[in-house]
Short mmCIF file of all heavy atoms in Angstrom, two decimals:
data_model
loop_
_atom_site.label_atom_id
_atom_site.label_comp_id
_atom_site.label_asym_id
_atom_site.label_seq_id
_atom_site.Cartn_x
_atom_site.Cartn_y
_atom_site.Cartn_z
N LEU A 1 102.83 90.37 95.66
CA LEU A 1 103.26 91.16 96.81
C LEU A 1 102.13 91.99 97.39
O LEU A 1 102.04 92.15 98.62
CB LEU A 1 104.40 92.10 96.39
CG LEU A 1 105.80 91.49 96.28
CD1 LEU A 1 106.76 92.53 95.74
CD2 LEU A 1 106.26 90.96 97.63
N ASP A 2 101.24 92.52 96.52
CA ASP A 2 100.17 93.36 97.04
C ASP A 2 99.24 92.57 97.96
O ASP A 2 98.78 93.06 98.99
CB ASP A 2 99.38 94.01 95.91
CG ASP A 2 98.86 93.01 94.90
OD1 ASP A 2 99.36 91.87 94.89
OD2 ASP A 2 97.96 93.36 94.12
N GLY A 3 98.96 91.30 97.60
CA GLY A 3 98.15 90.45 98.46
C GLY A 3 98.85 90.15 99.77
O GLY A 3 98.22 90.11 100.84
N ALA A 4 100.16 89.94 99.70
CA ALA A 4 100.93 89.69 100.92
C ALA A 4 100.90 90.92 101.83
O ALA A 4 100.76 90.80 103.05
CB ALA A 4 102.38 89.34 100.57
N PHE A 5 101.01 92.11 101.23
CA PHE A 5 100.97 93.33 102.02
C PHE A 5 99.60 93.52 102.67
O PHE A 5 99.50 93.92 103.83
CB PHE A 5 101.31 94.53 101.15
CG PHE A 5 102.74 94.55 100.67
CD1 PHE A 5 103.11 95.34 99.59
CD2 PHE A 5 103.71 93.80 101.30
CE1 PHE A 5 104.42 95.37 99.15
CE2 PHE A 5 105.03 93.81 100.87
CZ PHE A 5 105.38 94.61 99.79
N ASP A 6 98.53 93.24 101.93
CA ASP A 6 97.19 93.35 102.49
C ASP A 6 97.00 92.37 103.65
O ASP A 6 96.39 92.69 104.67
CB ASP A 6 96.14 93.08 101.41
CG ASP A 6 95.75 94.35 100.65
OD1 ASP A 6 96.01 95.44 101.17
OD2 ASP A 6 95.24 94.23 99.53
N ALA A 7 97.52 91.14 103.45
CA ALA A 7 97.40 90.12 104.49
C ALA A 7 98.15 90.56 105.75
O ALA A 7 97.66 90.39 106.87
CB ALA A 7 97.95 88.78 103.99
N LEU A 8 99.32 91.14 105.57
CA LEU A 8 100.08 91.62 106.72
C LEU A 8 99.35 92.72 107.47
O LEU A 8 99.28 92.74 108.69
CB LEU A 8 101.45 92.14 106.26
CG LEU A 8 102.56 91.13 106.07
CD1 LEU A 8 103.79 91.79 105.48
CD2 LEU A 8 102.90 90.44 107.38
N ARG A 9 98.77 93.66 106.71
CA ARG A 9 98.09 94.79 107.35
C ARG A 9 96.92 94.35 108.20
O ARG A 9 96.57 95.00 109.19
CB ARG A 9 97.63 95.79 106.28
CG ARG A 9 97.16 97.10 106.88
CD ARG A 9 96.85 98.14 105.83
NE ARG A 9 95.63 97.84 105.09
CZ ARG A 9 94.95 98.74 104.39
NH1 ARG A 9 95.39 99.98 104.32
NH2 ARG A 9 93.87 98.40 103.73
N SER A 10 96.30 93.24 107.84
CA SER A 10 95.11 92.77 108.57
C SER A 10 95.47 91.97 109.81
O SER A 10 94.60 91.64 110.61
CB SER A 10 94.23 91.92 107.64
OG SER A 10 94.91 90.73 107.25
N MET A 11 96.74 91.66 110.01
CA MET A 11 97.17 90.87 111.17
C MET A 11 97.53 91.79 112.33
O MET A 11 97.94 92.94 112.13
CB MET A 11 98.39 90.02 110.81
CG MET A 11 98.13 88.97 109.75
SD MET A 11 99.67 88.07 109.35
CE MET A 11 99.07 86.97 108.07
N PRO A 12 97.39 91.29 113.56
CA PRO A 12 97.82 92.08 114.73
C PRO A 12 99.30 92.41 114.64
O PRO A 12 100.14 91.52 114.49
CB PRO A 12 97.53 91.15 115.92
CG PRO A 12 96.47 90.21 115.40
CD PRO A 12 96.77 90.01 113.95
N GLY A 13 99.62 93.67 114.70
CA GLY A 13 101.02 94.08 114.60
C GLY A 13 101.58 94.02 113.20
O GLY A 13 102.75 94.34 112.98
N GLY A 14 100.74 93.61 112.24
CA GLY A 14 101.22 93.46 110.87
C GLY A 14 101.61 94.77 110.22
O GLY A 14 102.45 94.79 109.31
N VAL A 15 101.00 95.87 110.69
CA VAL A 15 101.32 97.18 110.11
C VAL A 15 102.80 97.50 110.30
O VAL A 15 103.46 98.02 109.39
CB VAL A 15 100.45 98.28 110.76
CG1 VAL A 15 100.96 99.66 110.38
CG2 VAL A 15 98.99 98.12 110.34
N PHE A 16 103.33 97.16 111.48
CA PHE A 16 104.74 97.44 111.74
C PHE A 16 105.63 96.61 110.83
O PHE A 16 106.65 97.10 110.33
CB PHE A 16 105.06 97.17 113.22
CG PHE A 16 104.25 97.99 114.17
CD1 PHE A 16 103.17 97.44 114.85
CD2 PHE A 16 104.55 99.34 114.37
CE1 PHE A 16 102.42 98.21 115.73
CE2 PHE A 16 103.80 100.11 115.25
CZ PHE A 16 102.74 99.55 115.93
N VAL A 17 105.24 95.34 110.62
CA VAL A 17 106.01 94.48 109.72
C VAL A 17 105.94 95.02 108.30
O VAL A 17 106.94 95.05 107.57
CB VAL A 17 105.49 93.03 109.78
CG1 VAL A 17 106.27 92.15 108.80
CG2 VAL A 17 105.58 92.47 111.18
N LEU A 18 104.74 95.47 107.90
CA LEU A 18 104.55 96.00 106.55
C LEU A 18 105.41 97.23 106.32
O LEU A 18 106.06 97.37 105.28
CB LEU A 18 103.07 96.33 106.33
CG LEU A 18 102.68 96.95 104.99
CD1 LEU A 18 103.15 96.09 103.84
CD2 LEU A 18 101.17 97.17 104.92
N VAL A 19 105.42 98.13 107.28
CA VAL A 19 106.25 99.34 107.15
C VAL A 19 107.72 98.97 107.10
O VAL A 19 108.51 99.53 106.32
CB VAL A 19 105.97 100.32 108.31
CG1 VAL A 19 106.97 101.47 108.30
CG2 VAL A 19 104.55 100.85 108.23
N ALA A 20 108.11 97.98 107.93
CA ALA A 20 109.51 97.53 107.93
C ALA A 20 109.89 96.96 106.57
O ALA A 20 110.97 97.22 106.03
CB ALA A 20 109.73 96.48 109.02
N ILE A 21 108.98 96.17 105.97
CA ILE A 21 109.25 95.60 104.64
C ILE A 21 109.34 96.71 103.60
O ILE A 21 110.18 96.68 102.70
CB ILE A 21 108.16 94.57 104.26
CG1 ILE A 21 108.34 93.31 105.11
CG2 ILE A 21 108.22 94.23 102.78
CD1 ILE A 21 107.27 92.26 104.87
N GLY A 22 108.46 97.73 103.75
CA GLY A 22 108.53 98.87 102.84
C GLY A 22 109.89 99.55 102.92
O GLY A 22 110.49 99.90 101.90
N ILE A 23 110.39 99.72 104.14
CA ILE A 23 111.72 100.30 104.34
C ILE A 23 112.78 99.40 103.69
O ILE A 23 113.75 99.88 103.10
CB ILE A 23 112.01 100.50 105.84
CG1 ILE A 23 111.07 101.57 106.40
CG2 ILE A 23 113.47 100.87 106.08
CD1 ILE A 23 111.13 101.72 107.91
N GLY A 24 112.57 98.08 103.80
CA GLY A 24 113.49 97.14 103.17
C GLY A 24 113.55 97.31 101.66
O GLY A 24 114.63 97.29 101.05
N PHE A 25 112.39 97.50 101.04
CA PHE A 25 112.37 97.72 99.59
C PHE A 25 113.03 99.06 99.23
O PHE A 25 113.71 99.16 98.20
CB PHE A 25 110.93 97.67 99.07
CG PHE A 25 110.48 96.29 98.70
CD1 PHE A 25 109.90 95.45 99.65
CD2 PHE A 25 110.63 95.81 97.40
CE1 PHE A 25 109.49 94.17 99.31
CE2 PHE A 25 110.22 94.54 97.05
CZ PHE A 25 109.65 93.71 98.01
#
């Protein structure tokens, strides 16, 4: 999961997806 989160953060708009997934957890 940590690698997936890092990959998301590096993508355009990925920060918003990452925060949304964090809220999901």
